[in-house]
């Protein structure tokens, strides 16, 4: 049996929008060697990295073996299934994953025993949404002493240059059937009141299990009202591959709005209602920061073996305060006493 050991951090997708910022952050922290991975051998090599493809777990296993001293793999691109996670855990390598797809996260969660067997830790729901939304949900849930319902709202900046994989993910998920919860009008600090639409972020599926809250809904809007209306107005078109391709190409070209983002969590129990929000700039940068702090915590060796979501790890509960050093602001918006 292999066991987790100190070594290098392999950032998969390490020259993408999230990955490159993560690599930059980790490299500013002294004493932490980092390896970059991606499909473009020349690009990876220029950054002192390796070619790898997450659609080929057997090849990934060979790469890990050749590198020899990787202790944490950070996934900054979504693989098609849990094959890469399985390889990491078999080899006693920790995993941090920024993925937002419910099925993928469920499949990795199912590897909890396999990870625990090799003393490896997998951390899921790392980023802004999922990630910071999960931590705000936890706070609001505790403030009302056990929520019956949680509403999460995510506002993304249409002016930010989101990475190709993030745009692909968003457009693909628009094609999923709309949730019966329906749109809601939500106040977001610095952005006024916005109409946000139900969107299949993984957090709303994870939190009922991790917090025991029956009803959780996540809604999305963009800072540009025009782009929000276009995105959700074109929902039908994304059911066909040509529509998805056209919309993906448009969203990669059109940058309307700012690079600001906001997330909000509202928890309800009877007459009690508490809400927290976080605001900042550049969700890719903040996703990278959440992944960096999570990786740093993993390297201390204090996180429990097995697979966990961010909100299940008490030592990471204060990330919203930690991120104040990176111009991310925490707001307590509403507190109606539960009693
Ligand atoms: N949790 C959150 O809040 C959050 C926030 C933002 C993004 N995300 C997720 O993070 C992921 C990355 O987003 P991004 O904006 O950084 O996308 P991106 O800029 O397109 O970066 C993806 C990177 O992965 C590499 N890559 C693509 N396919 C690969 C494969 N099969 N094998 C190995 N490497 C591959 C790409 O380079 P090559 O094409 O050259 O291989 C690129 O370096 C997305 O899945 C997105 O959904 C999560």
């Amino acid at each position: 049996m292999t066991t987790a050991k100190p070594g290098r951090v392999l950032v998969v997708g390490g020259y993408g929008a999230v990955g490159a910022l993560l690599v930059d952050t980790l490299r500013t922290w002294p004493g932490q060697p980092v390896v970059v991975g991606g499909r473009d051998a020349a690009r990876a090599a220029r950054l002192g990295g390796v070619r790898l493809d997450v659609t080929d777990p057997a090849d990934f296993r060979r790469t890990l073996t050749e590198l020899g001293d990787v202790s944490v793999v950070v996934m900054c691109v979504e693989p098609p299934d849990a094959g890469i996670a399985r390889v990491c855990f078999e080899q006693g390598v920790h995993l941090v994953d920024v993925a937002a797809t419910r099925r993928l996260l469920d499949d990795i969660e199912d590897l909890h025993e396999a990870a625990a067997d090799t003393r490896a830790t997998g951390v899921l729901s790392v980023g802004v949404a999922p990630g910071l939304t999960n931590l705000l949900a936890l706070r609001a849930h505790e403030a009302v002493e056990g929520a019956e319902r949680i509403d999460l709202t995510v506002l993304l900046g249409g002016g930010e240059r989101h990475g190709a994989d993030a745009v692909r993910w968003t457009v693909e998920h628009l094609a999923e059937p709309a949730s019966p919860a329906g749109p809601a009008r939500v106040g977001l600090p610095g952005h006024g009141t916005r109409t946000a639409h139900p969107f299949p972020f993984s957090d709303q599926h994870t939190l009922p299990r991790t917090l025991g809250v029956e009803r959780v809904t996540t809604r999305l809007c963009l800072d540009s009202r025009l782009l929000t209306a276009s995105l959700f107005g074109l929902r039908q078109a994304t059911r066909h591959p040509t529509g998805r391709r056209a919309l993906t190409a448009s969203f990669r070209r059109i940058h309307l709005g700012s690079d600001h983002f906001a997330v909000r969590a509202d928890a309800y129990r009877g007459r009690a209602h508490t809400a927290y929000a976080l605001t900042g700039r550049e969700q890719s940068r903040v996703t990278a920061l959440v992944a960096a702090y999570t990786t740093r915590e993993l390297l201390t060796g204090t996180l429990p073996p097995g697979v966990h979501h961010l909100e299940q790890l008490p030592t990471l509960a204060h990330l919203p305060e930690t991120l104040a050093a990176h111009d991310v602001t925490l707001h307590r918006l509403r507190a109606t006493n539960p009693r």
Side-chain angles (χ1 to χ4, degrees), residues 88-165:
C88 291
F89 297 151
E90 273 168 17
Q91 304 211 5
V93 171
H94 301 305
L95 176 76
V96 173
D97 201 323
V98 305
T101 300
R102 171 194 189 176
R103 181 188 44 78
L104 176 62
L105 297 192
D106 286 352
D107 290 350
I108 299 177
E109 224 182 288
D110 287 346
L111 298 174
H112 179 78
E113 296 301 331
D117 281 351
T118 59
R119 311 284 306 155
T121 301
V123 188
L124 308 180
S125 302
V126 174
V128 171
L132 296 176
T133 49
N134 298 51
L135 294 183
L136 289 190
L138 169 66
R139 243 170 234 234
H141 170 66
E142 286 176 345
V144 297
E145 299 175 5
E148 291 156 352
R149 180 183 122 212
I150 293 179
D151 287 346
L152 299 170
T153 310
V154 179
L155 175 143
L156 297 177
E160 180 175 341
R161 288 185 182 276
H162 302 282
D165 203 48

Side-chain angles (χ1 to χ4, degrees), residues 12-20 37-40 43 52-56 75-80 97-101 125-132 161-170 201 252 283-284 287:
V12 180
Y15 49 82
V18 173
R39 290 174 301 183
D40 184 330
R43 220 169 153 193
L52 52 81
D53 189 334
V54 298
T55 63
D56 186 349
M75 292 295 284
C76 295
V77 61
E78 280 207 2
D97 201 323
V98 305
T101 300
S125 302
V126 174
V128 171
L132 296 176
R161 288 185 182 276
H162 302 282
D165 203 48
V167 173
R168 172 202 61 75
W169 186 90
T170 308
F201 288 105
R252 293 222 61 205
Q283 61 78 32
S284 302
T287 294

Side-chain angles (χ1 to χ4, degrees), residues 14-53:
Y15 49 82
V18 173
L21 294 158
L22 170 62
V23 169
D24 286 351
T25 305
L26 291 174
R27 285 187 168 152
T28 62
W29 291 346
Q32 185 48 63
V34 177
V35 192
V36 170
R39 290 174 301 183
D40 184 330
R43 220 169 153 193
R46 276 199 296 280
L47 298 162
V50 289
R51 189 203 171 274
L52 52 81
D53 189 334

Side-chain angles (χ1 to χ4, degrees), residues 20-291:
L21 294 158
L22 170 62
V23 169
D24 286 351
T25 305
L26 291 174
R27 285 187 168 152
T28 62
W29 291 346
Q32 185 48 63
V34 177
V35 192
V36 170
R39 290 174 301 183
D40 184 330
R43 220 169 153 193
R46 276 199 296 280
L47 298 162
V50 289
R51 189 203 171 274
L52 52 81
D53 189 334
V54 298
T55 63
D56 186 349
D59 182 56
F60 185 79
R61 182 183 284 109
R62 276 191 296 278
T63 305
L64 267 191
T65 305
E66 276 162 26
L67 288 170
D69 63 347
V70 171
S71 58
V72 184
V73 167
V74 189
M75 292 295 284
C76 295
V77 61
E78 280 207 2
D81 55 37
I84 298 293
R86 188 182 297 280
V87 170
C88 291
F89 297 151
E90 273 168 17
Q91 304 211 5
V93 171
H94 301 305
L95 176 76
V96 173
D97 201 323
V98 305
T101 300
R102 171 194 189 176
R103 181 188 44 78
L104 176 62
L105 297 192
D106 286 352
D107 290 350
I108 299 177
E109 224 182 288
D110 287 346
L111 298 174
H112 179 78
E113 296 301 331
D117 281 351
T118 59
R119 311 284 306 155
T121 301
V123 188
L124 308 180
S125 302
V126 174
V128 171
L132 296 176
T133 49
N134 298 51
L135 294 183
L136 289 190
L138 169 66
R139 243 170 234 234
H141 170 66
E142 286 176 345
V144 297
E145 299 175 5
E148 291 156 352
R149 180 183 122 212
I150 293 179
D151 287 346
L152 299 170
T153 310
V154 179
L155 175 143
L156 297 177
E160 180 175 341
R161 288 185 182 276
H162 302 282
D165 203 48
V167 173
R168 172 202 61 75
W169 186 90
T170 308
V171 172
E172 261 176 28
H173 284 79
L174 263 180
E176 289 193 13
S179 149
R185 299 276 295 158
V186 187
L188 292 158
H191 299 276
T193 301
R194 298 309 187 98
T195 302
H197 301 258
F199 202 74
F201 288 105
S202 59
D203 42 18
Q204 63 203 310
H205 303 292
T206 306
L207 291 163
R209 277 199 306 280
T210 58
L211 300 187
V213 179
E214 206 171 308
R215 280 188 297 153
V216 187
T217 305
T218 314
R219 295 181 176 84
L220 171 69
C221 60
L222 302 177
D223 64 338
S224 155
R225 289 181 167 86
L226 180 64
L227 271 190
T228 306
S230 314
L231 189 71
F232 289 96
L234 291 167
R235 202 162 205 164
Q236 288 289 355
T238 59
R239 306 240 155 90
H240 307 284
T242 30
R244 282 203 291 278
R245 274 197 296 276
L247 199 60
T248 304
S250 311
F251 275 105
R252 293 222 61 205
R253 266 200 318 272
I254 301 166
H255 299 290
L256 200 59
S258 73
D259 61 4
H260 291 243
F261 72 86
V263 292
R264 170 171 173 152
D266 287 81
Y268 303 87
R269 178 191 172 93
R271 294 167 62 85
H273 174 195
T274 291
Y276 289 95
L278 277 166
T279 53
R281 294 183 59 194
E282 303 166 316
Q283 61 78 32
S284 302
R285 175 183 69 95
V286 175
T287 294
L289 286 166
V290 174

